Amino acid sequence: MTQPLKLGIAGLGTVGTGLLKLLSDNRDHLAGMTGRTITVSAVSARTQGRDRGVSLDDVRWVDNAVALAKDSEIDVFVELIGGEDGVAKEAVEAALEAGKHVVTANKALLAKHGIALAKCAEEKGVALNYEAAVAGAIPIIKTLRESVAANKIHRVYGILNGTCNYILSQMQDKHLAFSDVLKDAQEKGYAEADPTFDIGGFDAAHKLAIITTLAFGSAVKFDEVHVEGIEAITSADIEAAKDLGYRIKLLGVALETDSGIEARVHPAMVPKHRAVAEVSGVTNCVAVDAEEAGNLLLVGPGAGGAPTASAVAGDIVDIARGIVLAPFVRPAEALTPFKRANLDAHHGAYYIRLAVYDRPGAMAAIAKCMGDQGVSLESIVQRQATMGAESGAAATVIMITHETTEEKIRSALAAIEQDGKVAEKPQMIRIEAL
Ligand code: HSE
C-alpha cells in the first residue's frame, strides 16, 4: 500500500463533521478502494471546545486556517469555511501556492474567483475539486467534467436551491401564501433567518455560474448571471399554474444562443408532465441536454451534512487515486470570455397575470397593447374579481402567450401599465420549453 493521503480540514460545521464521520466509518472501504489510507492530520475551526459528536482526539488542532493550508504534513486542504473572500480565499490560495491539492464546497468562492484559482492549480499541477459546491450530492461537476466532456452541450438547467423548491412545493401542496411558508421554513431551520441569498435566487446563481463555465467553456462569474427570485410569486400564480398544467419552479438555465450565452435564474412555468416538475421539497435536480449523450437528469439531495460530505469525500477519493483534472474541463487559459446573450431576444412563451379594473373596454385595451407589439395570445382567462390594494374592484386575468420575444412582452406590459387599466404591476413568468 502506498503512503497515506493526509488531509487538513478547515471548517467543522455540518459538512465538516459529516466528512469526519464518513472518513472514519468508511476507513477500510476507502483504503481498499484507493490502495491508500485516508487520514485526517489536522483540523481548523472557529471554536475548538464544542462537542461535534465526532472524536478529534487523534487530530492536531490548528487555530489558523491559512497556516493549516500550508502545513507541511498535509497533502490535501479541504476548505469547508465558506464565503467568497476572506479566510476561505486566502487559505485556498495558500494551499495551491504550497502545492497542496484542494477540495472545497465553496460555491461563492468558485463563482467569483474560480478561474484564477484554476490557473494556480494548473500551474502547480494539483487538483482543485469542488463537486460539493453545486447541488450537494448530485454529481453534476463530474458529469460535465468527465462523463459528457466529449459532447457539445446544448443546455443545462435545474432546480438548484432547496429552500426555494421547498417553499414553492408547500405553496402548491398546502395552498399556503409565500410569507406563511417562509415563516414555517425558518422555524423548521430549512430557511436562514435572512433568507435573501436563497429566495432572491443568488445561491442558485452562484451554482449556475459554475456549471455554465463547465458546460460552455466560457468564464462566467456570478454577477453576470441574470437573477430573479421567488418573492413575487403568489398563491394566485401557483393555482393558475396548476390549472394550466404547469408547476412553478425556480430554475437555473444556461444555453448558447446566436447572440451569446443565456445564464439565468428565475421562476419558470414547467409542464407538469416533465420529470423536473415532479422534483419537490428540498430536493435538487440538474438536467444536461448533450449532443451525443442525449438528455440526462440527475436528482437528489442538494444540501445537508451527509450528502454534501459524500461529494467532498468523492473528490478526495479521486486525489487518492492520482486523478488530477483541469478544474473547468479545459485549461483555464482556454476558457473564452463570457458573452452574455441579450435577454430581450429570449424566445419563448409567457404567463401573464394582471389585476384588471373591472370596467367596460379594459380587456379590449389590454388585448390591443399585446396585439400592437405582435404578441399573440394562446389563452386568456378571467378568474375572479378581487380588490386591488388601493384601487377598487379588479379582476384577475391570466394570459398565456404564443412564443414571442422578451422585448415584445416587456413593451406590451409597459404599455398596459401606462394605459392605467391595471391595479398592480403585471406578473410575468417565463414558460420553459423542456
Ligand atoms: N441554501 C441552499 C439551498 C443549500 O437551500 O438549497 C446550500 O447551497
Side-chain angles (χ1 to χ4, degrees), residues 131 134-145 147-148 156-160 211 275-276 279 283-289 295-302:
E131 185 63 73
V134 178
I138 296 178
I140 184 57
I141 307 300
K142 277 186 191 296
T143 300
L144 291 170
R145 208 155 76 160
S147 317
V148 299
V156 283
Y157 61 94
I159 295 171
L160 302 172
I211 57 181
V276 172
V279 176
T283 304
N284 284 197
C285 70
V286 191
V288 181
D289 295 344
N295 301 334
L296 313 178
L297 179 66
L298 308 172
V299 183

Side-chain angles (χ1 to χ4, degrees), residues 44-83:
S44 176
R46 259 199 302 248
T47 27
Q48 188 170 1
R50 190 154 70 85
D51 179 10
R52 296 177 166 90
V54 286
S55 168
L56 292 173
D57 293 347
D58 301 329
V59 181
R60 190 158 48 92
W61 185 274
V62 178
D63 282 329
N64 184 323
V66 181
L68 174 61
K70 301 188 273 199
D71 192 287
S72 60
E73 248 193 49
I74 68 162
D75 305 305
V76 183
F77 178 63
V78 182
E79 187 272 305
L80 303 172
I81 303 165

Side-chain angles (χ1 to χ4, degrees), residues 107 132-133 135-136 160-165 190-192 197-198 203-204 207 282 284 302-304 308:
K107 56 188 167 269
L160 302 172
N161 184 269
T163 306
C164 289
N165 207 38
Y190 296 157
E192 304 286 339
F197 191 64
D198 288 316
D203 173 75
K207 297 166 184 167
V282 292
N284 284 197
T308 310

Side-chain angles (χ1 to χ4, degrees), residues 39 135 208 295 412:
T39 60
L208 188 71
N295 301 334

